[in-house]
Amino acid sequence: MSATARKTAPLPSDIRAMKGGAPIVSLTAYTTPMAQIMDAHCDFVLVGDSVGMVLHGLPSTTLVTMDMMIMHGRAVARGLDKAMLVIDMPFGSYEEGPAQAMRNAAQLMRETGAAAVKLEGGAHMAETIAFLTARGVPVMAHIGLTPQSVGTLGGYKVQGRGAAASALSEDARMVAEAGAFAVVIEKVPASLADRITADVAIPTIGIGASPGCDGQVLVVDDMLGLFTAFKPKFVKRYATLGTDGEAAIAAYAADVRARAFPAPEHTFADETPSA
Ligand code: KIV
């Protein structure tokens, strides 16, 4: 993280002020090179706890720890100059209550330089969001499908259909009232996401929601085709880096076995000094 970086990056209040304006662009990142690639294109970059599934091969995000978030948060911070850094609070680091959430949010921000934390939950997290924001921690809320609660939600299902819509609207209203500067809305009907976007005063960031949201976020490994264990319907693949990478590795293996690599241009002569 450079000093210039933090001067030019938007603040949570700048993201908040983008409500109803040009769509807010966001992706997840977990490493320095990936953060560098997306820095010029994103308003904010999220160190998501999806890192556990897409980089560490864990079966769910509930196994992600504070140490993992801090390590990846630091790596991403080193790659950002322009985009704001937001970091996920991992499962078990904030649900006990406001004091636990404050302690862990402060540690995440202090040790990574993140400008804000994201936590999952609607109405039942409102007290914690109010506590954190009153004490200087900008909070992005996350409602709808909240992957850390996949055990109690009964899987990765669409949320807020039919009679469940009003509870989800209430979640959005309450996190906004509690002081969240933005809210991620995951895997809900598009019409509901549009209604929430019209109703709340903070930006809605959609993932599996609606193009009418104030912004969008995707898991970068999903959209680049690097994570291929499964593909949610809401993911658009913009590249096929997984299959392209496998073809490259197969070509390398064939070259090595044929003694075609390294070629003369990759080797060093004994007599000429070289770099
Ligand atoms: O962990 C994550 O990557 C997320 C987003 C995709 C919203 O929470």
Side-chain angles (χ1 to χ4, degrees):
M1 175 177 42
S2 76
T4 347
R6 297 303 110 199
K7 274 189 205 139
T8 56
L11 299 169
S13 54
D14 299 321
I15 298 292
R16 163 79 183 71
M18 291 174 79
K19 173 76 187 175
I24 299 164
V25 179
S26 176
L27 285 170
T28 67
Y30 320 107
T31 64
T32 305
M34 202 59 96
Q36 285 168 334
I37 289 170
M38 67 181 67
D39 184 40
H41 304 282
C42 289
D43 297 299
F44 74 88
V45 168
L46 172 69
V47 184
D49 61 355
S50 49
V51 67
M53 295 175 78
V54 301
L55 280 202
H56 291 267
L58 296 174
S60 88
T61 58
T62 57
L63 301 171
V64 173
T65 64
M66 284 285 288
D67 285 348
M68 287 165 76
M69 295 309 298
I70 288 168
M71 183 182 69
H72 289 284
R74 284 181 175 157
V76 170
R78 282 180 215 116
L80 295 184
D81 265 336
K82 297 190 171 64
M84 184 178 86
L85 176 59
V86 180
I87 190 162
D88 258 343
M89 299 199 71
F91 182 62
S93 71
Y94 58 98
E95 297 88 335
E96 282 172 29
Q100 183 210 23
M102 182 67 212
R103 202 164 48 248
N104 286 318
Q107 187 184 356
L108 287 170
M109 290 175 69
R110 188 172 59 243
E111 296 195 20
T112 67
V117 299
K118 177 167 80 59
L119 56 80
E120 296 184 5
H124 66 285
M125 290 309 301
E127 185 194 350
T128 296
I129 293 170
F131 189 93
L132 294 180
T133 51
R135 287 161 180 77
V137 177
V139 178
M140 179 176 287
H142 182 159
I143 63 170
L145 174 63
T146 45
Q148 292 174 8
S149 303
V150 70
T152 48
L153 291 176
Y156 295 91
K157 295 177 184 156
V158 176
Q159 302 294 306
R161 279 193 170 132
S166 58
L168 222 129
S169 296
E170 183 63 3
D171 282 338
R173 200 187 59 73
M174 287 195 67
V175 298
E177 214 166 77
F181 71 91
V183 57
V184 170
I185 307 181
E186 179 163 351
K187 209 168 181 183
V188 304
S191 55
L192 175 60
D194 289 342
R195 280 205 302 283
I196 291 174
T197 301
D199 286 352
V200 296
I202 58 173
T204 56
I205 311 296
I207 172 162
S210 162
C213 287
D214 297 297
Q216 303 294 329
V217 62
L218 279 179
V219 169
V220 71
D221 291 56
D222 283 342
M223 57 86 77
L224 292 179
L226 273 169
F227 180 76
T228 53
F230 56 87
K231 187 185 97 58
K233 179 185 177 191
F234 58 73
V235 170
K236 176 173 174 181
R237 287 226 172 108
Y238 286 84
T240 52
L241 299 195
T243 47
D244 294 352
E246 192 186 348
I249 288 165
Y252 162 76
D255 276 359
V256 170
R257 291 192 176 107
R259 299 199 187 283
F261 177 84
E265 66 267 29
H266 306 121
T267 62
F268 302 92
D270 188 27
E271 63 279 1
T272 320
S274 60

